[in-house]
Amino acid sequence: DMRMNPRTLLSATAILLILVIPSAAWAQHKHPQGAQKKPGMAAMKAEMAKMMKSPHHMLVKTHLKTMSEFAGTLRGQAVKPTALDVDFARATVAELRHNLDAIEALRQKHMQNMSAEMKAKMEAMSAEMKSKMQVMMAKMDKDQAKLKDQVSVLETDVQANTPDSTQVAAHTNALLKQLGMMSKMHGASKAKMGMK
């Protein structure tokens, strides 16, 4: 199925970012008494490790973190007994949108810059690896779509002259949960492992 629409392309970045995270798990499980390692896999992991340290990846992580901070601030105000300040709420949601757009732009740019060598490596992967990647791509796509939906819902919430605090708090909670999951995928779990 050769339809490479922008979404599929976009999510290829995502998988590349994510592939590193399961690599620690693979290392633990895949080596009972001297099991043969696939040569392509080692090269792939080296490439991924490099990507995790890339400025592009650092930026995505920073944007996710910033979104969490803004969402946390908004929730903090929404759960107060006093009415939610509409200007504050709109400004905060505008920042969430700004960071979300920046993540999208980074992904697209990254896909355009992905080396031909890297694309060739992806093409040469085993069917098993390819299907693993497709599953991860689909998950990443879904996460990004969810993030967009949640920001859109908050944008609708704050259009009201007097935003409903309870609703804003609930929607911000959902967004924070989603952001938490996504930041974990973007390498937070590695940091935790390093601390032990």
Side-chain angles (χ1 to χ4, degrees):
D1 166 23
M2 287 311 293
R3 289 165 324 174
M4 267 317 240
N5 62 25
R7 271 183 69 95
T8 322
L9 216 64
L10 205 84
S11 56
T13 319
I15 15 148
L16 299 180
L17 297 174
I18 287 189
L19 262 181
V20 180
I21 289 122
S23 64
W26 280 328
Q28 287 160 4
H29 301 304
K30 290 268 171 156
H31 295 291
Q33 59 283 352
Q36 281 300 297
K37 207 174 175 186
K38 294 193 186 91
M41 210 40 224
M44 199 69 183
K45 282 183 187 167
E47 191 88 20
M48 296 307 151
K50 213 162 66 189
M51 280 188 61
M52 292 297 272
K53 292 189 183 77
S54 74
H56 158 270
H57 184 67
M58 297 299 171
L59 264 179
V60 170
K61 266 170 68 172
T62 307
H63 281 302
L64 285 170
K65 199 173 151 200
T66 306
M67 284 182 81
S68 296
E69 283 170 10
F70 276 113
T73 308
L74 181 58
R75 180 180 59 185
Q77 292 299 312
V79 294
K80 287 188 173 171
T82 48
L84 187 59
D85 181 305
V86 68
D87 292 331
F88 160 82
R90 285 176 188 167
T92 309
V93 174
E95 288 298 336
L96 289 171
R97 168 61 66 185
H98 169 73
N99 280 280
L100 182 65
D101 288 346
I103 292 172
E104 287 284 307
L106 279 165
R107 282 182 159 190
Q108 274 169 337
K109 187 165 182 264
H110 185 70
M111 279 318 296
Q112 285 158 2
N113 297 346
M114 202 169 80
S115 70
E117 184 195 355
M118 186 65 194
K119 285 177 185 153
K121 278 182 191 161
M122 282 168 69
E123 275 311 304
M125 279 197 278
S126 69
E128 182 203 3
M129 269 307 290
K130 264 191 188 156
S131 81
K132 267 186 192 161
M133 281 181 76
Q134 276 161 351
V135 169
M136 285 191 275
M137 276 167 82
K139 162 119 183 67
M140 211 49 194
D141 253 0
K142 231 159 73 193
D143 280 345
Q144 192 66 15
K146 227 184 252 177
L147 212 55
K148 274 186 180 164
D149 287 347
Q150 286 165 334
V151 172
S152 300
V153 165
L154 279 166
E155 281 173 333
T156 307
D157 287 345
V158 300
Q159 284 316 306
N161 291 331
T162 51
D164 180 337
S165 296
T166 318
Q167 227 173 14
V168 172
H171 293 152
T172 315
N173 263 331
L175 176 63
L176 279 163
K177 216 162 150 183
Q178 184 65 28
L179 285 165
M181 275 168 34
M182 286 175 81
S183 326
K184 259 200 204 95
M185 285 168 94
H186 280 264
S189 51
K190 241 167 57 172
K192 262 186 232 152
M193 285 181 342
M195 278 162 52
K196 275 180 190 157

